[in-house]
Amino acid sequence: MNTSLPYPFTLLHESLRFWIEKRRFFEPTSIQKLAIPKILEGKNVLLISPTGTGKTEAAIFPVISKILENKSKEEGVKAIYVNPLKALTRDLRKRIDRYAHFVGLKVRPLFGDVNKAFKYPVPEMVIITPESLEIILDWAPKWWKHLKSVNFVILDEVHELAFSKRGYQLLILLERLKYFIGKSFQRICLSATVGEAEKVAWLFGGSDGPLEIISAEEQRPYDFKLKLATPLSEDEMRDPFLAGARVICEEVESGVKSLIFVNSRYSAERLKLELDRLNFPVMVHHGSLGLEEREKAEDMFKSGLLRAVIATKTLELGIDIGDIKQVLQYRSPGQVCTLLQRAGRSQHRPGEKSICKIISTDPEDFIESMAILRLAEQGKLEGPLIIDNPLDVLAKEILGVALYNQRGRKICKSAFRPFTVDDLFKIFSNSTPFSKLSRETFDNVLGNLVNSNLIRLEGDVVYPSKRFWSVWRFKEDEKVRDSSLRFSEFFSMISKKEAFTVMEEYGLGKKRKIGELDSSFVYRSLSTGMVIRLAGRNWKVVDIDERSYEVMVTHVEEAGEAPAWKGEGPPRSLEVTREALKVISDALKDPSILERFCSAETALATVLDYLKSLDESYLKNLVEGKIVVERIPGIRTTVFITFLGERINRALAAAVFEKIAEASLLVKYVVTPYGFGVRSEVVDPLNALRAISLDEFRDLVGRHLVEHSPFTRLVKDQLKEHFGFPYDERLLDKEAARQASLIYYDVEGVFDALQNIIRGALIEVVKDSPSGLAESILRYPFERPWRAGLRVVLSEVLASFKEGRLDEIFEFTWSNPVEVKNELRAISRERDLVAFFDLKSRGWTVAKVPLEDGWVTVRVPVAVKYAVLGSEEDFARVERELIRDAEEVLKDFIPCNEIIELDFTSLDEKVKYPLKLALGKVFRISLETFIKTRVFPAFGDKLNLRVHVERTRLSAFHYAVPKRLIHAIVLNSLSSMLIMPKKGIVTGRRQLIFELP
């Protein structure tokens, strides 16, 4: 027997040892030395080791050896290797087959239609994704009898699965597999370095108990560098992507193969656009791209035809794209785990040092990145956030078992034993995420699926019902109006709608795609009227269609781009933000610490200048755990500087919002990892915070989650898919609020902060303009409070502010301007409210453009004001001002041959008086006489009005105008529409119809 191999390879089967030696695999890595003996002993284990240290061989060598030791003539699958990505499946097959093939074991990757993929001889090892395992257990009876022989399950990249619902799905599938084969199997889990390893070991141990943790002694060496993309021009100061793209070009210009990570699809596409303009060849790789496009990027990079790829999470895991010399991370990765996972993709072989450079775009991002680098050096990683009893996973697995029962009865006939409802509850309760599942909750989910006609009960056995096949369709049917998905999508817990398509409407109702925005940004911050930048141009958001997942935009030249990249990526934790504060404090005492990861003098000077601009008293109080409250009366905003992390800050902001909303809905807030800001028109946010008791806080956040949180809406949208778009959504509403609370808010973590507040740990400061720290918080986009009643908000606006611009109302309602105007129109019938043009102010409104088969809405840079008329003085003042301003304009046009058309119509449209006049010398007398003799006697207190100026192709429709102001409103609309072309506001090439309000 050959004994030249070192321990623990000597413990392996003789045939395998021969091929290990033949492949010159002479020296085991640390994790292989520790893991192989334990796996050979039959232990359920969690192997933790950095990327590129041989974890795969540490798992498959002893598994292959044990299969050989116990090899029987009976066909059947002996080992299942599960990994998160289909692209990894191909690479793993090659890697495992290097040894398995030569010792007589068959290895087969399974994806796609695994039922059709079945063929003899049956492989001893299969490599699959969680989705493929779902398909096998739900829909592929050809495989079922061959699973009875499974003795080993290897789970790869569990650090990725531990944070996702795909991981929860997989854990239930393992319990289903165990129940189906009637015995336990050995669990071998592989993970890169992860925080709270004990929690991961408990999670993946399932009903067999926690895994034994085996952690490698060796640590992956990293070479981290921190760069600051210092702007070199005014354009770069306005747009951080320009400077970022320039620095990336400088880092890769020598041809170093580089993987560039970003935190969102938006940033991927924006960065690519700027790199294209610099003639830098690059491709993107993210989840919204088709498989063919992603594989093309992988192949071109691997072959060397492409020197750089921009990627989101899709390339974090070990897809083989060849040698990667360095990783570039554009902006802070947000989490230590994310940083190490991405950095580990470079120089992948054992013993090689991973090279990672973070490209920061501003001093705040630089400081956060440095904090994450310091935490990485200290080995402080985030643990997994585990959601107990995720009901969408439960619903999907009940549906999966219903499929299994139906498929088994149809194919296996009388030999088939279906799973009963009691079986399901037992299986799910054995899965660790559902270890606290109550029978009542289980029955509620089951009942929801039955009542939605997705499943039916025959005795105590579940089967798919008729509507199941309408929701998950084998063929797409354009005639079907109800929400539906492809049947192949049933088996996945990955959300199908992770991005909104941004569309421009042009021509006769035609649309074209401009780009994409991540769903989280759309739900959290996007609103109509907001300006975003895509494809190198600025676009004003006209409409957000949640049903079709489309954002309609129109091109504008104005600045004011929404910072969609702010806050992207994972939520920043309390640990990251406190470390960032420590970086600031340490650097002010000893600036040389900034040189730990950065040597560029210009960057260091820029960061140090920023640090010196910060108020020392702020920092002293923040380091002591106090909260600095900065009031800025000029913008009606209060900023709470906390350094408590994103989730705690969001919970505090939600409570303050709800406390204010008890008295006023004119409030909105912005949340960052470092604090939050509240803009309130009526109630003082600081007084609201002080008024919140510990007992009340939880109720306030709970109310916000149910009624206003954008994240509840985001989560619910994902739940609906997995529940099969149920008829009754009350269960989903409750579950969405619960999950949103766990993922995006830290309710429990707030209590320490609240107790400090009660003890007086608030430092109040009044400022004319925001300080440096406050300004960095206010640069984030406001979070969108989802409101149930538009009329309630509008009524309060009108009650609080007697005059204002309509675009200011749009800002507080976050609603489509057309919806707001329709609601205002209804309100104007009930109270004295008038709307009119104001060309002296800056603002905007929307107008209709008639088409052959309808009309489109466009944004026009014309301010429209409103006035609430509560007294005789109000009427007199508005009338006087409108006539005065109109006459200043009309004196330059009268007399002329311009023709105007007027229609005076009753609110019920039964009475209509038309009038056509030329702007001649007798225009004023003719108009006044007609109104006094014809209009006043014929109409009630209010009437509708149309004003049309022929040459300008402009029309204005005024609804429910108080009769005594009708003359002033005619002059206002007439003068405004005459001057608009002269000022270049409109071109006159297309007809525009304004509706006021």
Side-chain angles (χ1 to χ4, degrees):
M1 185 173 69
N2 195 319
T3 57
S4 61
L5 287 176
Y7 179 88
F9 293 156
T10 52
L11 302 176
L12 300 172
H13 189 275
E14 181 180 6
S15 301
L16 180 58
R17 291 203 307 270
F18 174 82
W19 287 105
I20 291 174
E21 184 175 12
K22 195 168 182 64
R23 291 195 169 275
R24 307 183 70 79
F25 206 128
F26 293 131
E27 185 60 38
T29 63
S30 172
I31 192 64
Q32 290 163 4
K33 292 176 183 176
L34 295 169
I36 288 174
K38 292 287 186 181
I39 296 173
L40 289 172
E41 290 173 17
K43 302 286 188 182
N44 292 334
V45 294
L46 169 62
L47 311 187
I48 300 176
S49 186
T51 304
T53 53
K55 289 191 297 293
T56 301
E57 286 75 15
I60 64 168
F61 282 174
V63 167
I64 290 174
S65 181
K66 293 186 76 171
I67 292 173
L68 293 173
E69 294 285 355
N70 302 300
K71 193 167 185 181
S72 64
K73 295 182 179 179
E74 180 186 356
E75 277 195 321
V77 177
K78 306 299 188 297
I80 298 175
Y81 194 118
V82 184
N83 74 90
L85 290 178
K86 183 167 68 174
L88 279 175
T89 301
R90 303 185 188 92
D91 299 335
L92 280 166
R93 192 264 177 90
K94 295 176 185 175
R95 190 169 176 180
I96 296 172
D97 229 12
R98 290 175 190 167
Y99 306 97
H101 173 73
F102 293 103
V103 296
L105 300 183
K106 297 172 289 298
V107 181
R108 190 178 302 167
L110 296 179
F111 42 80
D113 191 340
V114 298
N115 195 46
K116 290 183 179 178
F118 177 83
K119 60 183 178 181
Y120 288 103
V122 177
E124 285 82 8
M125 299 182 70
V126 293
I127 307 171
I128 57 176
T129 62
E131 291 74 29
S132 297
L133 182 56
E134 179 83 58
I135 296 171
I136 286 177
L137 294 180
D138 294 353
W139 193 248
K142 292 180 181 178
W143 285 99
W144 292 347
K145 70 177 181 179
H146 301 292
L147 297 179
K148 295 282 187 177
S149 54
V150 169
N151 292 316
F152 311 95
V153 173
I154 303 171
L155 307 182
D156 205 350
E157 310 280 6
V158 297
H159 56 280
E160 172 72 15
L161 293 168
F163 287 87
S164 73
K165 289 182 181 177
R166 293 178 76 207
Y168 305 152
Q169 173 192 23
L170 176 58
L171 289 168
I172 289 184
L173 293 175
L174 294 183
E175 296 302 330
R176 282 180 58 185
L177 177 63
K178 178 181 174 180
Y179 198 80
F180 173 75
I181 65 179
K183 64 177 182 179
S184 293
F185 40 76
Q186 189 173 356
R187 301 183 189 221
I188 303 162
C189 296
L190 316 182
S191 175
T193 309
V194 66
E196 298 186 43
E198 293 79 9
K199 189 181 287 187
V200 177
W202 166 80
L203 185 67
F204 284 91
S207 57
D208 293 323
L211 306 172
E212 182 175 335
I213 299 171
I214 301 175
S215 186
E217 298 168 356
E218 61 194 356
Q219 294 299 316
R220 184 75 186 272
Y222 294 98
D223 181 8
F224 288 118
K225 292 286 190 299
L226 188 49
K227 306 281 182 178
L228 179 65
T230 308
L232 300 181
S233 66
E234 288 188 9
D235 286 342
E236 288 191 350
M237 290 183 69
R238 284 192 295 267
D239 188 344
F241 287 92
L242 301 182
R246 172 176 51 78
V247 172
I248 287 171
C249 281
E250 293 169 358
E251 293 297 326
V252 191
E253 64 181 356
S254 60
V256 177
K257 287 187 72 175
S258 305
L259 184 52
I260 306 165
F261 279 111
V262 294
N263 295 328
S264 70
R265 297 172 180 82
Y266 176 87
S267 286
E269 297 292 348
R270 278 294 314 272
L271 197 57
K272 182 185 185 304
L273 176 72
E274 302 307 334
L275 289 170
D276 286 344
R277 288 176 173 165
L278 296 172
N279 295 317
F280 181 87
V282 67
M283 292 182 72
V284 294
H285 193 289
H286 58 67
S288 292
L289 297 175
L291 177 63
E292 184 176 339
E293 203 166 346
R294 294 199 304 270
E295 288 184 346
K296 181 180 178 182
E298 294 166 18
D299 293 341
M300 289 185 67
F301 186 83
K302 188 174 183 178
S303 66
L305 295 174
L306 200 64
R307 307 303 293 177
V309 172
I310 304 172
T312 56
K313 287 177 66 69
T314 52
L315 284 180
E316 278 185 14
L317 303 182
I319 295 176
D320 183 10
I321 54 173
D323 291 334
I324 302 166
K325 296 302 181 184
Q326 66 176 359
V327 164
L328 302 180
Q329 167 69 45
Y330 178 72
R331 296 182 60 84
S332 162
Q335 288 183 342
V336 181
C337 288
T338 301
L339 170 70
L340 295 181
Q341 181 66 30
R342 293 179 172 185
R345 293 290 277 132
S346 77
Q347 308 287 21
H348 200 273
R349 295 183 179 87
E352 292 183 329
K353 182 179 288 189
S354 292
I355 298 172
C356 177
K357 300 172 184 175
I358 301 177
I359 313 297
S360 287
T361 55
D362 54 66
E364 295 104 318
D365 188 74
F366 183 98
I367 291 163
E368 179 179 289
S369 299
M370 187 166 185
I372 291 171
L373 289 170
R374 295 203 331 180
L375 289 172
E377 285 192 330
Q378 298 165 31
K380 295 181 179 178
L381 283 73
E382 302 84 3
L385 177 65
I386 297 174
I387 303 173
D388 290 331
N389 299 333
L391 299 189
D392 49 332
V393 180
L394 180 65
K396 177 60 74 71
E397 287 307 307
I398 291 174
L399 292 165
V401 172
L403 262 187
Y404 163 80
N405 286 340
Q406 186 254 16
R407 191 75 166 163
R409 184 167 69 172
K410 179 179 179 181
I411 304 297
C412 304
K413 309 297 183 184
S414 60
F416 177 72
R417 179 194 174 275
F419 284 169
T420 66
V421 171
D422 288 340
D423 291 334
L424 295 190
F425 180 70
K426 183 176 181 181
I427 291 168
F428 297 149
S429 299
N430 283 337
S431 176
T432 37
F434 295 93
S435 57
K436 298 178 183 178
L437 178 68
S438 70
R439 185 62 189 244
E440 181 184 7
T441 300
F442 173 80
D443 289 341
N444 287 340
V445 174
L446 188 70
N448 183 280
L449 298 174
V450 171
N451 294 334
S452 297
N453 200 24
L454 292 165
I455 61 174
R456 70 182 190 280
L457 283 168
E458 293 185 12
D460 60 351
V461 178
V462 293
Y463 294 99
S465 197
K466 183 178 180 181
R467 185 167 169 265
F468 177 95
W469 308 105
S470 299
V471 173
W472 288 282
R473 295 176 167 272
F474 286 100
K475 294 182 180 179
E476 293 188 23
D477 188 347
E478 295 181 358
K479 297 179 182 179
V480 176
R481 295 185 179 181
D482 293 335
S483 298
S484 63
L485 300 164
R486 293 188 299 271
F487 181 69
S488 59
E489 293 174 329
F490 168 78
F491 304 99
S492 174
M493 285 302 300
I494 301 172
S495 176
K496 311 306 177 297
K497 299 176 179 178
E498 294 184 334
F500 275 70
T501 304
V502 181
M503 305 291 291
E504 179 193 21
E505 202 158 21
Y506 70 100
L508 298 176
K510 297 178 181 178
K511 296 190 294 186
R512 60 178 161 226
K513 180 178 176 179
I514 303 300
E516 289 186 337
L517 289 171
D518 285 18
S519 298
S520 59
F521 173 72
V522 173
Y523 277 103
R524 185 183 77 239
S525 298
L526 198 68
S527 66
T528 51
M530 187 179 281
V531 177
I532 58 175
R533 188 171 180 81
L534 280 174
R537 306 172 78 188
N538 282 3
W539 307 90
K540 178 74 75 173
V541 177
V542 175
D543 189 27
I544 302 170
D545 189 338
E546 295 168 46
R547 186 177 179 84
S548 64
Y549 261 60
E550 288 184 346
V551 174
M552 300 304 302
V553 297
T554 182
H555 175 243
V556 292
E557 296 296 339
E558 69 184 88
E561 174 187 359
W565 62 91
K566 285 284 190 181
E568 66 183 9
R572 276 58 167 175
S573 66
L574 171 65
E575 291 73 23
V576 167
T577 52
R578 296 310 291 182
E579 186 67 23
L581 180 60
K582 195 170 186 302
V583 168
I584 294 172
S585 178
D586 291 350
L588 286 172
K589 294 174 185 174
D590 179 10
S592 67
I593 71 153
L594 298 175
E595 300 172 16
R596 171 68 185 84
F597 300 104
C598 178
S599 57
E601 293 183 3
T602 304
L604 293 171
T606 301
V607 174
L608 196 56
D609 286 345
Y610 167 76
L611 294 176
K612 289 178 178 178
S613 72
L614 303 179
D615 193 307
E616 288 186 22
S617 65
Y618 280 25
L619 297 174
K620 180 178 181 296
N621 286 305
L622 289 166
V623 169
E624 292 175 357
K626 297 177 182 178
I627 295 174
V628 176
V629 182
E630 191 172 302
R631 295 176 185 265
I632 314 161
I635 57 174
R636 301 185 297 281
T637 298
T638 301
V639 180
F640 299 81
I641 306 169
T642 67
F643 281 78
L644 290 175
E646 192 170 323
R647 294 170 65 231
I648 289 179
N649 285 334
R650 183 168 290 113
L652 282 169
V656 172
F657 176 95
E658 291 301 326
K659 194 66 177 177
I660 292 174
E662 292 175 354
S664 169
L665 290 174
L666 303 185
V667 56
K668 58 182 184 176
Y669 62 87
V670 56
V671 173
T672 80
Y674 306 100
F676 62 98
V678 181
R679 178 178 172 184
S680 175
E681 303 294 324
V682 179
V683 180
D684 182 345
L686 178 55
N687 290 341
L689 177 60
R690 283 177 169 150
I692 298 172
S693 66
L694 288 173
D695 293 337
E696 184 185 20
F697 172 77
R698 200 185 301 275
D699 292 337
L700 289 172
V701 178
R703 185 199 309 163
H704 189 76
L705 283 159
V706 171
E707 297 179 4
H708 296 124
S709 171
F711 297 100
T712 299
R713 293 290 295 265
L714 173 63
V715 173
K716 181 180 175 182
D717 204 53
Q718 297 165 354
L719 298 186
K720 286 162 71 173
E721 293 179 23
H722 305 308
F723 266 87
F725 308 102
Y727 294 147
D728 186 346
E729 295 185 355
R730 286 175 296 178
L731 179 63
L732 270 70
D733 291 333
K734 186 177 179 181
E735 177 66 4
R738 186 183 74 89
Q739 291 192 21
S741 172
L742 294 170
I743 299 168
Y744 300 104
Y745 300 76
D746 186 354
V747 177
E748 301 306 321
V750 169
F751 283 99
D752 286 342
L754 281 176
Q755 287 172 341
N756 284 338
I757 291 169
I758 292 169
R759 289 194 292 264
L762 290 174
I763 308 300
E764 184 179 350
V765 181
V766 179
K767 291 271 191 178
D768 292 331
S769 59
S771 66
L773 287 173
E775 186 178 1
S776 67
I777 291 170
L778 294 177
R779 277 202 292 265
Y780 280 68
F782 281 94
E783 294 200 354
R784 178 183 184 181
W786 290 84
R787 305 184 190 277
L790 176 58
R791 174 167 285 213
V792 176
V793 182
L794 290 176
S795 297
E796 186 185 345
V797 171
L798 298 176
S800 301
F801 306 99
K802 298 297 184 182
E803 288 191 11
R805 298 197 317 270
L806 284 181
D807 52 312
E808 291 176 328
I809 294 182
F810 300 155
E811 180 183 345
F812 270 105
T813 61
W814 295 79
S815 299
N816 185 309
V818 176
E819 294 175 4
V820 175
K821 294 179 81 168
N822 288 340
E823 196 63 58
L824 284 172
R825 196 172 304 156
I827 293 173
S828 67
R829 287 172 169 261
E830 303 166 3
R831 60 191 302 180
D832 288 329
L833 169 68
V834 66
F836 48 88
F837 294 108
D838 179 14
L839 270 63
K840 293 182 178 180
S841 300
R842 294 188 63 181
W844 60 275
T845 190
V846 293
K848 291 181 177 179
V849 178
L851 304 174
E852 290 183 1
D853 54 351
W855 49 268
V856 294
T857 302
V858 297
R859 180 185 173 281
V860 183
V862 175
V864 172
K865 289 186 73 174
Y866 69 88
V868 178
L869 309 169
S871 65
E872 178 63 29
E873 289 77 10
D874 292 337
F875 276 97
R877 177 180 51 78
V878 170
E879 183 178 32
R880 183 172 59 251
E881 291 175 358
L882 288 180
I883 293 175
R884 181 196 64 205
D885 293 344
E887 289 294 352
E888 288 182 12
V889 174
L890 290 175
K891 68 183 181 183
D892 296 329
F893 288 89
I894 298 176
C896 69
N897 295 323
E898 188 71 61
I899 302 297
I900 68 163
E901 297 176 3
L902 303 173
D903 286 322
F904 303 88
T905 310
S906 62
L907 298 185
D908 60 8
E909 299 186 351
K910 292 182 179 179
V911 180
K912 181 177 180 179
Y913 281 9
L915 176 65
K916 195 169 187 176
L917 290 174
L919 289 182
K921 293 181 180 179
V922 297
F923 167 75
R924 292 181 178 86
I925 297 175
S926 300
L927 177 63
E928 289 180 16
T929 301
F930 185 85
I931 289 175
K932 288 180 180 178
T933 61
R934 302 292 300 278
V935 174
F936 277 13
F939 294 94
D941 292 338
K942 297 182 180 182
L943 67 154
N944 297 333
L945 168 69
R946 181 182 78 96
V947 182
H948 175 62
V949 182
E950 284 190 354
R951 181 179 56 81
T952 65
R953 304 187 70 195
L954 302 177
S955 299
F957 284 82
H958 294 264
Y959 295 91
V961 182
K963 185 168 65 176
R964 68 165 289 179
L965 292 180
I966 200 73
H967 179 239
I969 293 298
V970 169
L971 295 181
N972 169 263
S973 286
L974 174 59
S975 60
S976 298
M977 290 190 288
L978 286 171
I979 201 69
M980 282 182 202
K982 191 173 182 180
K983 287 191 171 186
I985 296 172
V986 297
T987 62
R989 291 195 295 268
R990 60 182 178 180
Q991 185 178 356
L992 292 177
I993 300 173
F994 297 94
E995 294 182 314
L996 288 78

